[in-house]
Amino acid sequence: MNAPDRYERFVVPEGTKKVSYERDTKIINAASFTIEREDHTVGNILRMQLHRDPNVLFAGYKLPHPLQYKIIIRIHTASQSSPMQAYNQAINDLDKELDNLKSAFEAELAKHSSGY
Amino acid sequence: MEGMSYARTPRVKIRELKDDYAKFELRDTDASIANALRRVMIAEVPTIAIDLVEIEVNSSVLNDEFIAHRLGLIPLTSERAMAMRFSRDCDACDGDGQCEFCSVEFHLRAKCISDQTLDVTSKDLYSPDHTVVPVDFSDPSGEESSEQRGIIIVKLRRGQELRLRAIARKGIGKDHAKWSPAATVTFMYEPDIHINEDLMETLTLEEKRTWVESSPTRVFDIDANTHQVLVVDPEAYTYDDEVIKKAEAMGKPGLVEISAKQDSFIFTVESTGAIKASQLVLNAIEILKQKLDAVRLSEDTVEADDQFGELGAHMRGG
Ligand SMILES: [Zn+2]
């Protein structure tokens, strides 16, 4: 009877930020991003895209607990970049890739639909 | 650094396309994108499903909640779902009425008045909105089949009656599987199979046959004329390693080398009928884009960090 509501998994509670940022206190150019109500879907694509950035020295994500509906992304970059810059770039690049994927799929779809 | 981009341009080749089925190749990307697409298709592409049921009369053998559950699982045509509002975000209504932005109302009235058992099916659900209706599974060729009559909800005997009002809403599979538009979505890595031809020619025809037959799926075959071992269907390979183990057991390690291409995937998408399989893929791309947009850093976070950064630089600089 104490099960959490199903919507808790994807609705960000009022007064909570979707993304929060915390600098590492000991290492410069290292930071953690906490993303509320996201999981492996977003965590893993961001991690893999960050690995493609040569300025990124470390990028990883974790889902701390299956009942805590958030992920934490940790980024460490070289001095010419910053975790925030790398994070924004990764999102922009993924967005571009998905635009490219959409065009590629639609072009193929047009070929197949005309065949009917 | 500005203007630098590490974005890729994936390639797509559709192999087979039907309304509720799609098979396609996805290349020049990685497993994280392939898996994100799969996960979004299953759990985050919205559809419309019955979510609230008010039972007026139910004298059938199934109890009210059993019927409400069965109604929820009926796939409804959901082309409109992407443009609809979630009831919880709708400011035009209180979320449980006839609101054009977030819900669709259905009525069902059925009473058995003969000695013949009456099947109450998804075809007995009526709504004033013709864009949201139970999915029609009947064969367009017109063959009379059991599916022609829709999905059976309950059976009534003489005198039994079912009367209800149902509200369908937009939702996602993450909330409840009844909202998932996907029957199955899978992808596999494209296998790369290389036979060591020189080593293969040291085998007798009989040895070749036993080796070919050691694969549980028909990946290899022997040419009837040249007696050469050929890869006839690389995608039939299930990464079971049986042929590799067999080669080792025969004292011929390295007879075949099989690896998974890390940037090539073969997708199989089956839809429940709520939306077309091709639309399911396109909607998944759109939803993933929206998710990425939602995780962008907000202005105030960036500003707060800039101040902190200046302060930090000031302190470090003395
Ligand atoms: Zn509404």
Side-chain angles (χ1 to χ4, degrees):
Chain A
M1 295 305 267
N2 63 351
D5 286 317
R6 291 194 318 245
Y7 67 80
E8 296 266 347
R9 284 168 43 131
F10 51 88
V11 179
V12 181
E14 237 167 288
T16 311
K17 279 176 100 175
K18 179 77 178 174
V19 191
S20 49
Y21 166 87
E22 199 184 340
R23 264 171 196 260
D24 191 294
T25 50
K26 293 189 183 80
I27 308 164
I28 51 158
N29 281 315
S32 294
F33 298 79
T34 303
I35 308 179
E36 282 295 332
R37 314 289 128 140
E38 290 296 343
D39 56 21
H40 302 284
T41 306
V42 162
N44 199 35
I45 53 171
L46 275 174
R47 175 181 72 108
M48 293 312 283
Q49 185 64 38
L50 285 160
H51 286 171
R52 292 162 49 73
D53 183 341
N55 288 321
V56 171
L57 303 177
F58 174 87
Y61 84 96
K62 67 175 171 184
L63 189 88
H65 190 277
L67 291 174
Q68 280 182 308
Y69 308 116
K70 64 176 183 189
I71 54 167
I72 297 161
I73 298 179
R74 199 179 141 73
I75 306 173
H76 185 182
T77 69
S79 56
Q80 60 264 42
S81 186
S82 73
M84 217 178 243
Q85 199 185 320
Y87 179 86
N88 289 332
Q89 165 117 45
I91 291 175
N92 289 336
D93 288 346
L94 283 170
D95 193 62
K96 260 182 238 160
E97 172 166 354
L98 289 171
D99 279 333
N100 296 339
L101 174 60
K102 194 177 176 198
S103 315
F105 196 86
E106 280 172 338
E108 269 291 290
L109 211 54
K111 268 195 243 167
H112 274 259
S113 307
S114 60
Y116 277 113
Chain B
M1 279 300 116
E2 278 315 297
M4 189 69 129
S5 174
Y6 306 109
R8 291 168 289 207
T9 311
R11 284 184 294 143
V12 175
K13 185 167 181 273
I14 297 176
R15 284 196 189 161
E16 207 184 331
L17 188 62
K18 285 185 264 177
D19 276 359
D20 57 2
Y21 179 84
K23 198 178 181 95
F24 64 94
E25 297 162 11
L26 175 66
R27 294 177 204 281
D28 295 347
T29 186
D30 67 7
S32 71
I33 293 288
N35 197 43
L37 276 178
R38 183 191 64 85
R39 287 173 63 97
V40 170
M41 282 192 253
I42 292 168
E44 300 191 61
V45 170
T47 66
I48 301 160
I50 289 173
D51 196 32
L52 194 99
V53 180
E54 269 176 26
I55 300 205
E56 286 172 50
V57 180
N58 174 21
S59 51
S60 77
V61 292
L62 300 186
N63 61 49
D64 294 1
E65 32 281 88
F66 202 132
I67 288 171
H69 179 237
R70 291 182 66 73
L71 288 168
L73 296 173
I74 295 169
L76 306 175
T77 53
S78 305
E79 282 80 22
R80 264 182 59 199
M82 285 293 275
M84 256 171 93
R85 291 180 192 168
F86 285 106
S87 276
R88 80 184 108 80
D89 305 328
C90 186
D91 43 27
C93 70
D94 49 13
D96 59 341
Q98 306 135 293
C99 168
E100 57 174 319
F101 301 110
C102 71
S103 51
V104 180
E105 194 181 29
F106 286 89
H107 285 274
L108 186 149
R109 297 167 168 273
K111 186 171 186 174
C112 181
I113 47 166
S114 72
D115 283 330
Q116 180 92 55
T117 305
L118 178 73
D119 291 353
V120 181
T121 74
S122 55
K123 296 224 162 148
D124 294 308
L125 281 166
Y126 288 101
S127 95
D129 186 338
H130 297 290
T131 61
V132 182
V133 290
V135 171
D136 186 0
F137 291 101
S138 61
D139 192 355
S141 65
E143 287 284 308
E144 184 71 34
S145 67
S146 62
E147 287 160 354
Q148 200 90 31
R149 283 170 282 142
I151 300 164
I152 296 176
I153 297 162
V154 65
K155 291 183 178 186
L156 302 178
R157 62 164 289 167
R158 183 193 272 281
Q160 292 178 340
E161 189 181 5
L162 182 63
R163 217 157 66 212
L164 58 86
R165 185 176 87 102
I167 308 275
R169 292 178 179 147
K170 173 179 172 171
I172 57 171
K174 226 179 191 184
D175 190 344
H176 190 290
K178 68 182 177 185
W179 276 298
S180 179
T184 47
V185 183
T186 62
F187 69 83
M188 70 175 282
Y189 289 99
E190 188 178 15
D192 205 5
I193 305 177
H194 289 287
I195 295 172
N196 183 334
E197 300 292 351
D198 293 338
L199 197 54
M200 187 60 82
E201 283 321 303
T202 66
L203 264 61
T204 64
L205 183 57
E206 201 45 49
E207 284 176 315
K208 284 181 184 172
R209 276 206 189 100
T210 43
W211 183 78
V212 163
E213 278 159 24
S214 72
S215 177
T217 50
R218 205 172 151 277
V219 180
F220 305 95
D221 206 356
I222 297 168
D223 189 293
N225 300 316
T226 65
H227 294 175
Q228 230 191 344
V229 175
L230 305 167
V231 179
V232 287
D233 187 4
E235 282 159 37
Y237 186 58
T238 59
Y239 293 95
D240 47 63
D241 275 2
E242 290 296 327
V243 286
I244 291 160
K245 281 186 226 154
K246 185 70 182 178
E248 278 165 15
M250 290 166 81
K252 306 277 178 185
L255 185 61
V256 69
E257 258 180 47
I258 309 178
S259 57
K261 290 186 191 167
Q262 294 302 303
D263 61 352
S264 267
F265 309 93
I266 298 146
F267 266 85
T268 308
V269 176
E270 282 181 66
S271 150
T272 59
I275 49 175
K276 284 185 180 175
S278 56
Q279 196 61 51
L280 175 51
V281 179
L282 289 171
N283 289 0
I285 298 170
E286 190 54 42
I287 295 286
L288 199 50
K289 272 171 66 72
Q290 288 172 13
K291 284 171 76 72
L292 281 170
D293 206 43
V295 301
R296 281 177 199 279
L297 287 163
S298 57
E299 272 315 309
D300 56 323
T301 310
V302 180
E303 276 166 30
D305 184 61
D306 283 347
Q307 280 169 2
F308 181 81
E310 268 168 43
L311 186 71
H314 185 71
M315 290 197 307
R316 280 195 296 274

